[in-house]
Amino acid sequence: MPDLTEEEYDALNEYWTKNTPKIDTGKSGFVTRRMGTYMVEVDKLTAAWLRARQEATHQTTTEIIGELVREKISAPR
């Protein structure tokens, strides 16, 4: 992730201060839903794999997870 400028940091800080996500806790982590966007907590191994995959493919986490979900949906049962 690139370093933020002071202005970018201030803009992000202001946004998240005004738009604090609502957190629904569960047994294996939490999922936050706000305006159709989900924030999901993952374990350390999954996070490390996602970071490595992002660097290797230059895709976003959303793109990677979307691919995995589509593969799972289309897999024969």
Side-chain angles (χ1 to χ4, degrees):
M1 177 184 234
D3 291 334
L4 297 175
T5 65
E6 197 64 34
E7 292 81 17
E8 291 170 324
Y9 173 81
D10 290 339
L12 280 173
N13 184 45
E14 183 176 342
Y15 174 81
W16 287 115
T17 299
K18 291 180 180 178
N19 300 287
T20 304
K22 295 178 182 165
I23 297 174
D24 179 18
T25 59
K27 292 181 182 176
S28 62
F30 67 85
V31 176
T32 300
R33 182 170 186 232
R34 182 165 182 82
M35 298 175 65
T37 302
Y38 291 87
M39 184 183 314
V40 179
E41 182 178 317
V42 296
D43 58 51
K44 289 181 182 182
L45 176 63
T46 304
W49 184 86
L50 283 168
R51 277 192 299 274
R53 179 85 176 170
Q54 283 176 306
E55 290 176 14
T57 63
H58 303 288
Q59 292 178 299
T60 66
T61 303
T62 302
E63 292 169 329
I64 295 167
I65 293 172
E67 279 182 8
L68 293 170
V69 170
R70 284 187 291 280
E71 286 174 17
K72 186 70 173 175
I73 290 171
S74 66
R77 294 185 180 239

